[in-house]
Amino acid sequence: MKQHHKLTLFLCLTWTITLLYGEMVAFWIPTLRSCTWPSSSSMDGVDGYDKVAVIADPQIMDKTSLHLPPKSLALEVAQFFTDLYMRRAFFASILPFKPDVILFLGDHFDGGPYLSDEEWQESLNRFKHIFGLKSQARFRDIRVHFLPGNHDNGYAALLSHKPEIVRRYEKEFGKRNYRFTVGKVEFIVVDAQTLDGYPEGNLAAATWDFVKNVSIDFQLLPRVLLTHIPLYRRDETPCGPHRSSPIINQRIVRTGHSQEILYQNYITEESSNRLLDLIKPVLVLSGHDHDQCTVSHESNHEHIKEHTVGTISWQQGNLYPSFRLLSASNSALLNMSNLEEAVLTRLCFLPMQTHIYIGYLLLFIVTLVTLLFWPTGGVNFGCHCSDFLAHGKQLFKVGTKEKTEDENCEYEMVWDAEGSMHLVRKATNTPITRAKDTSGTMERGNAVMRHTAKKGNAQEVEISMNVDDPMTNLPPRTSKSTAKFIIHRLVRMFRMLTVIAVVNIPLYMMLLFKDWIDQ
């Protein structure tokens, strides 16, 4: 097999392995190695818990996402690859954990409040396709719960003026404030966007009435508070070791006249404390921030942990998308000392899609450079290694410079096949008499050629030649031959690149649509 054929085969295999990893194997890693269901030995291990997968902020891209024209090619491509990543993450990384419940923490859409009914329905269909919600048989044994986010319905100022947005959301996803039970743990869902709204408004009043009703009920089970917007924390509060982006501090924007909320990073301090005092949760789960954050709140002299779950999308400003696994105890608790073990969570990271694409780009550059500059006869690594070792011995050689055996020996001029001239010392048994004339001495850059006469009758013939440039007498390579060499290399590179593409592009397309098409 010729050298360039071996090189083409090697690059083909390299691309095949890289594509299989980036498009398939990388999404198996959370299930196979890096993540497991949290459990406690005192609760009969994993069997003592019901399993909940928590997903936050998919934010299905639409015309409001990248400021691109609707239906433009750039927007369609961005939407496809973003949707494909989340679909792969859901089916290859999350579903293999076999959760009993799947929980979405809001922001299902990106520009939900600003989409027409037709555009909103299109985004809804994409959302259902990504997470397999179109097939009821797929989730026959899995319960799915949703809570609203600010990108679904907007903040309080928008909600109070567009009640049709709320009706559209509730028709598809159900109530915005509700409670449900998993195992022996109660989950309280609160529409956080209305908590700091106008106190006399219907939406804010409805949310706080729901919270009060929950607080009145006798608490038999440990509670988990679910809110899209995180609870208040002081500026520059550390978020733990898993956060990759800068910490976001509190920022609230209100309307000038009615002081309604136009934007907020966190629920206000007053509303946060009131929620904790009334609901008395053992754990708080939130989204909205797009990055991982774990903080501790104090309420009634108790420390309550809050986990802000990072986005599942790789296009929402977080290079490290993630989800959480939550284990809810299904055993009756005998005393309140076991409340911390009743609900356990674990952070799980998804593949870094940006790094995968950067890897593809670097491999493409290496492929082009290799194909263009690889020698026609290949590379003899054994020869190069021996030369390297020999050169190393010379570098580490210790001692003074050895004296030559005969400084006045004869030299013979030898030309190689490429036209380069070399001086080779010629062994002789006849001693050479040093010329008395100073012009006969050896000078740098000159070669002296002598012949021996019969019976000591010596006659010296001196031939002086400049050997500084061995290519002086050779004809220079013509521009025509140089152009021919370049064209030959480019044609060879194109042929080898075509073979690599013919093998791997169909594989890539197959991997793309294998995960996109419903089975």
Side-chain angles (χ1 to χ4, degrees):
M1 184 181 291
K2 295 183 179 180
Q3 288 292 332
H4 64 276
H5 290 165
K6 294 180 180 179
L7 177 62
T8 305
L9 179 60
F10 173 76
L11 291 174
C12 271
L13 291 176
T14 302
W15 270 104
T16 300
I17 294 172
T18 303
L19 290 176
L20 288 174
Y21 175 82
E23 303 299 317
M24 185 168 61
V25 178
F27 292 88
W28 297 347
I29 292 178
T31 307
L32 296 176
R33 188 186 64 181
S34 64
C35 214
T36 57
W37 287 105
S39 62
S40 173
S41 58
S42 62
M43 291 288 183
D44 299 327
V46 178
D47 294 335
Y49 292 90
D50 284 1
K51 306 174 184 66
V52 182
V54 185
I55 300 171
D57 299 272
Q59 286 192 216
I60 305 301
M61 296 178 68
D62 51 46
K63 66 179 184 181
T64 66
S65 303
L66 300 175
H67 305 289
L68 295 172
K71 304 298 181 181
S72 64
L73 178 61
L75 181 60
E76 294 288 339
V77 171
Q79 288 177 347
F80 173 77
F81 283 98
T82 305
D83 294 358
L84 178 64
Y85 175 86
M86 291 188 287
R87 182 174 169 86
R88 282 175 169 169
F90 183 73
F91 282 98
S93 301
I94 298 177
L95 277 190
F97 283 103
K98 299 180 180 179
D100 302 308
V101 178
I102 296 175
L103 176 60
F104 290 90
L105 291 180
D107 277 0
H108 317 317
F109 311 113
D110 197 6
Y114 308 102
L115 300 178
S116 65
D117 289 343
E118 181 180 353
E119 292 169 335
W120 191 85
Q121 188 63 43
E122 180 183 348
S123 293
L124 176 63
N125 291 335
R126 287 170 51 209
F127 177 80
K128 289 182 176 181
H129 174 71
I130 291 170
F131 298 106
L133 299 174
K134 289 184 176 181
S135 175
Q136 297 297 328
R138 190 187 300 273
F139 295 101
R140 184 170 48 249
D141 300 324
I142 302 177
R143 294 157 54 192
V144 183
H145 294 279
F146 307 91
L147 65 148
N150 58 290
H151 282 269
D152 300 320
N153 295 334
Y155 291 101
L158 184 63
L159 287 170
S160 61
H161 293 89
K162 291 188 175 182
E164 66 274 9
I165 294 176
V166 177
R167 290 194 296 268
R168 183 172 66 181
Y169 175 88
E170 290 184 335
K171 180 180 178 182
E172 184 62 41
F173 296 101
K175 294 181 179 180
R176 296 171 294 111
N177 301 290
Y178 63 100
R179 57 209 290 190
F180 62 93
T181 302
V182 178
K184 298 298 181 180
V185 178
E186 186 177 26
F187 290 78
I188 310 298
V189 178
V190 174
D191 184 4
Q193 289 72 241
T194 62
L195 291 172
D196 294 313
Y198 187 59
E200 303 300 327
N202 294 331
L203 296 175
T207 299
W208 283 113
D209 287 343
F210 167 77
V211 173
K212 292 175 183 177
N213 291 333
V214 171
S215 66
I216 293 173
D217 293 343
F218 184 72
Q219 185 174 353
L220 295 173
L221 303 175
R223 289 171 176 166
V224 175
L225 173 61
L226 304 176
T227 166
H228 175 72
I229 301 177
L231 301 184
Y232 172 81
R233 73 281 310 265
R234 294 179 181 178
D235 289 353
E236 303 302 330
T237 299
C239 278
H242 298 297
R243 187 178 184 88
S244 59
S245 61
I247 295 173
I248 298 176
N249 294 324
Q250 175 68 296
R251 183 167 70 93
I252 297 179
V253 180
R254 298 180 182 269
T255 59
H257 176 65
S258 61
Q259 291 296 298
E260 288 276 23
I261 298 289
L262 286 173
Y263 180 84
Q264 64 183 143
N265 288 329
Y266 306 109
I267 299 172
T268 60
E269 184 177 8
E270 179 184 359
S271 297
S272 298
N273 292 334
R274 190 180 175 190
L275 268 179
L276 294 176
D277 292 340
L278 292 174
I279 295 179
K280 299 179 177 62
V282 297
L283 178 70
V284 180
L285 293 178
S286 58
H288 186 61
D289 195 9
H290 290 194
D291 206 345
Q292 297 73 229
C293 186
T294 298
V295 297
S296 182
H297 304 284
E298 187 172 346
S299 175
N300 297 326
H301 306 291
E302 294 183 359
H303 292 281
I304 303 170
K305 187 174 291 186
E306 177 183 0
H307 293 301
T308 299
V309 183
T311 176
I312 192 177
S313 174
W314 70 284
Q315 282 281 8
Q316 297 300 327
N318 187 356
L319 293 177
Y320 307 92
S322 64
F323 63 99
R324 270 197 178 270
L325 297 179
L326 183 147
S327 297
S329 174
N330 54 25
S331 303
L333 302 177
L334 299 178
N335 54 66
M336 298 301 289
S337 62
N338 293 335
L339 287 181
E340 291 185 358
E341 294 184 355
V343 183
L344 303 175
T345 68
R346 178 162 292 158
L347 175 64
C348 301
F349 286 100
L350 293 165
M352 295 169 285
Q353 186 66 66
T354 304
H355 293 184
I356 291 174
Y357 286 152
I358 291 175
Y360 291 165
L361 178 61
L362 292 178
L363 181 57
F364 180 71
I365 294 173
V366 170
T367 301
L368 289 182
V369 173
T370 303
L371 294 179
L372 186 60
F373 294 103
W374 192 265
T376 304
V379 176
N380 190 341
F381 292 101
C383 179
H384 285 285
C385 289
S386 61
D387 291 345
F388 176 77
L389 293 175
H391 183 64
K393 290 181 180 179
Q394 293 180 2
L395 290 177
F396 291 100
K397 192 172 183 179
V398 183
T400 58
K401 184 177 180 181
E402 296 180 359
K403 185 176 180 180
T404 57
E405 295 178 359
D406 187 1
E407 294 180 353
N408 298 312
C409 63
E410 295 184 43
Y411 288 88
E412 182 178 4
M413 291 180 289
V414 178
W415 278 265
D416 59 18
E418 296 181 355
S420 300
M421 188 274 288
H422 302 276
L423 294 178
V424 179
R425 190 169 60 185
K426 184 176 180 181
T428 177
N429 295 325
T430 305
I432 300 175
T433 305
R434 183 181 299 274
K436 295 181 180 180
D437 188 6
T438 58
S439 62
T441 60
M442 297 286 293
E443 295 182 1
R444 185 176 181 180
N446 295 326
V448 179
M449 183 176 182
R450 300 180 176 91
H451 63 273
T452 306
K454 293 181 180 180
K455 303 228 178 176
N457 188 10
Q459 180 181 4
E460 293 184 355
V461 179
E462 182 174 279
I463 302 175
S464 179
M465 175 179 291
N466 189 347
V467 297
D468 287 340
D469 186 5
M471 301 299 292
T472 303
N473 297 325
L474 295 178
R477 176 175 284 183
T478 63
S479 59
K480 184 177 180 180
S481 60
T482 302
K484 184 178 179 180
F485 174 78
I486 295 175
I487 293 174
H488 173 74
R489 278 300 177 97
L490 291 176
V491 170
R492 189 191 71 170
M493 182 190 73
F494 178 76
R495 288 176 179 174
M496 297 169 71
L497 195 63
T498 300
V499 174
I500 297 172
V502 167
V503 173
N504 288 282
I505 288 180
L507 173 64
Y508 180 67
M509 300 302 293
M510 181 189 70
L511 293 173
L512 286 184
F513 291 101
K514 173 185 72 70
D515 297 324
W516 184 250
I517 299 173
D518 281 321
Q519 298 178 359

